[in-house]
């Protein structure tokens, strides 16, 4: 993939299948000619339409079922620290996967509906990874987990990120104010979305990893859970490599049938599962957790 300047999305959209690419003028969703890279055509349908990224659509369905199963498993861990907070993260992940079916998956949709899903998708990504970061904070028991105060703080802060990211996406796509109109054309520079959608989630993930590493090694004095955490980080990184680097080569090699988005969905799902396994491993009853006055929920 070619290099890109800070805030620019054109090269990303040329070489990858990202939900944000739906909102710019070059996107076929907006009636544009595309970004000049390998065109993901997928499976041909009637009237010249195509169902792109069928593999991603199927994997998204599997991911939703897996996340629902993990929510159910979390519910049975009555004494686990951060049980409700982990369930919030999994619910956010389900929202992301539902949106991905209609944004990255390429389901035939009306333009306005697809752009609406795109706004929800981007907002959900930012908000869900923020919730994951706060899950890392919950482990330190600064507040009693599962309480209205803890859950309210998480939901309100996540809602602020969701609304902010979603609004910028909709304003750009539908040109409500015209403020983001320059980003609609090459090089598609949108600083707000670049920070909220590209950079902020990476910062949140890095901080989550640091917080959990300190918690496991310094507070719990354990090493085995780090294997799960490292596996989650590695799987996520592999998924991003498929999305941003290998995608265009896969697309060209399959004549537009699939691209890296399929594998990104698979490895991200695997990473989420490993995050849950990591959380489950550090909330077992035999870990030497410090005593608190509040009951775990």
């Amino acid at each position: 993939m070619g290099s890109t300047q800070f805030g620019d999305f054109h090269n990303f959209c040329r070489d990858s299948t990202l939900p944000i690419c739906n909102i710019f003028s070059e996107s076929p969703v907006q009636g544009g000619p595309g970004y000049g890279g390998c065109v993901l055509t997928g499976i041909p349908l009637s009237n010249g339409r195509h169902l792109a990224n069928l593999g991603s659509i199927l994997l998204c369905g599997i991911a939703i079922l897996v996340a629902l199963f993990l929510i159910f498993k979390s519910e049975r861990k009555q004494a686990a620290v951060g049980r409700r907070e982990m369930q919030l993260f999994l619910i956010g992940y389900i929202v992301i996967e539902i949106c991905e079916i209609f944004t990255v998956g390429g389901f035939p949709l009306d333009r306005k509906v697809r752009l609406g899903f795109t706004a929800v998708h981007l907002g959900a990504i930012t908000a869900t990874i923020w919730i994951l970061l706060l899950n890392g904070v919950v482990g330190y028991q600064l507040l009693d987990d599962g309480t209205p105060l803890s859950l309210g703080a998480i939901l309100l802060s996540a809602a602020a990120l969701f609304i902010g990211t979603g609004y910028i996406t909709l304003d750009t796509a539908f040109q409500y104010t015209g403020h983001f109109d320059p980003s609609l054309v090459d090089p598609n520079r949108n600083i707000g979305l670049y920070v909220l959608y590209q950079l902020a989630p990476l910062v949140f993930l890095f901080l989550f990893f640091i917080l959990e590493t300190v918690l496991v090694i310094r507070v719990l004095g354990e090493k085995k859970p780090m294997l799960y955490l490292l596996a989650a980080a590695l799987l996520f990184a592999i998924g991003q490599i498929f999305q941003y680097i290998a995608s265009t080569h896969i697309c060209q090699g399959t004549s537009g049938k699939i691209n890296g988005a399929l594998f990104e969905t698979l490895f991200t799902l695997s990473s989420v599962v490993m995050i849950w396994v990591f959380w489950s491993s550090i909330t077992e009853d035999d870990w030497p957790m410090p005593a608190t006055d509040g009951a775990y929920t």
Side-chain angles (χ1 to χ4, degrees):
M1 185 181 71
S3 61
T4 186
Q5 297 294 317
F6 181 85
D8 295 352
F9 284 100
H10 185 272
N11 287 355
F12 290 141
C13 293
R14 181 194 64 204
D15 298 333
S16 310
T17 302
L18 302 176
I20 194 172
C21 302
N22 294 330
I23 72 176
F24 301 124
S25 296
E26 295 99 321
S27 171
V29 175
Q30 298 280 46
Y35 294 93
C38 178
V39 178
L40 183 64
T41 55
I43 300 173
L45 302 175
S46 60
N47 301 321
R49 298 177 303 166
H50 290 80
L51 177 59
N53 250 341
L54 176 60
S56 289
I57 294 173
L58 295 175
L59 281 174
C60 287
I62 293 172
I64 291 168
L65 294 177
V66 170
L68 288 172
F69 174 73
L70 295 179
I71 289 174
F72 171 74
K73 290 285 288 182
S74 302
E75 186 66 25
R76 300 185 64 181
K77 292 176 66 69
Q78 296 293 326
V81 175
R83 177 168 58 102
R84 295 301 184 200
E85 291 79 0
M86 176 54 65
Q87 289 175 322
L88 285 180
F89 165 68
L90 293 171
I91 291 171
Y93 177 66
I94 289 174
V95 173
I96 291 172
E97 294 308 297
I98 292 173
C99 292
E100 188 171 327
I101 292 174
F102 302 104
T103 56
V104 174
F107 234 93
L109 277 181
D110 176 77
R111 166 183 170 270
K112 291 183 179 180
V113 175
R114 193 183 305 280
L115 292 175
F117 271 111
T118 300
V120 175
H121 194 174
L122 300 189
I125 288 172
T126 305
T128 300
I129 300 180
W130 170 252
I131 291 173
L132 179 62
L133 169 60
L134 295 187
N135 267 262
V137 176
V138 165
Y140 289 86
Q141 291 287 274
L142 301 176
L143 293 174
D144 286 342
D145 61 287
T147 62
L149 180 60
S150 174
L151 297 177
I154 291 175
L155 287 172
L156 287 175
S157 57
L161 287 169
F162 176 84
I163 293 171
T165 305
Y167 169 76
I168 296 176
T169 303
L170 292 174
D171 195 346
T172 303
F174 292 106
Q175 302 173 264
Y176 291 143
T177 66
H179 179 76
F180 301 101
D181 286 4
S183 69
L184 292 174
V185 296
D186 188 4
N188 307 117
R189 174 168 294 183
N190 191 310
I191 300 298
L193 288 178
Y194 197 88
V195 171
L196 288 170
Y197 167 63
Q198 292 281 82
L199 296 185
L202 290 178
V203 173
F204 298 161
L205 287 172
F206 175 76
L207 292 176
F208 170 78
F209 182 84
I210 295 300
L211 286 172
E212 296 291 42
T213 299
V214 172
L215 178 66
V216 171
I217 295 178
R218 298 292 299 273
V219 178
L220 299 180
E222 298 291 334
K223 294 181 179 179
K224 182 179 178 181
M226 286 301 301
L227 296 177
Y228 305 131
L229 187 62
L230 289 171
L234 179 61
L235 289 166
F236 177 79
I238 292 173
Q240 298 309 296
I241 291 172
F242 272 107
Q243 180 75 287
Y244 288 97
I245 298 176
S247 185
T248 183
H249 304 291
I250 296 172
C251 181
Q252 293 169 2
T254 61
S255 301
K257 296 295 189 298
I258 63 172
N259 65 7
L262 167 67
F263 301 97
E264 187 274 337
T265 303
L266 173 62
F267 282 101
T268 299
L269 167 60
S270 302
S271 179
V272 168
V273 171
M274 291 310 302
I275 287 174
W276 188 90
V277 171
F278 164 77
W279 167 78
S280 179
S281 73
I282 65 172
T283 54
E284 294 175 354
D285 294 337
D286 57 350
W287 291 136
M289 292 299 295
T292 60
D293 294 332
Y296 294 150
T297 60

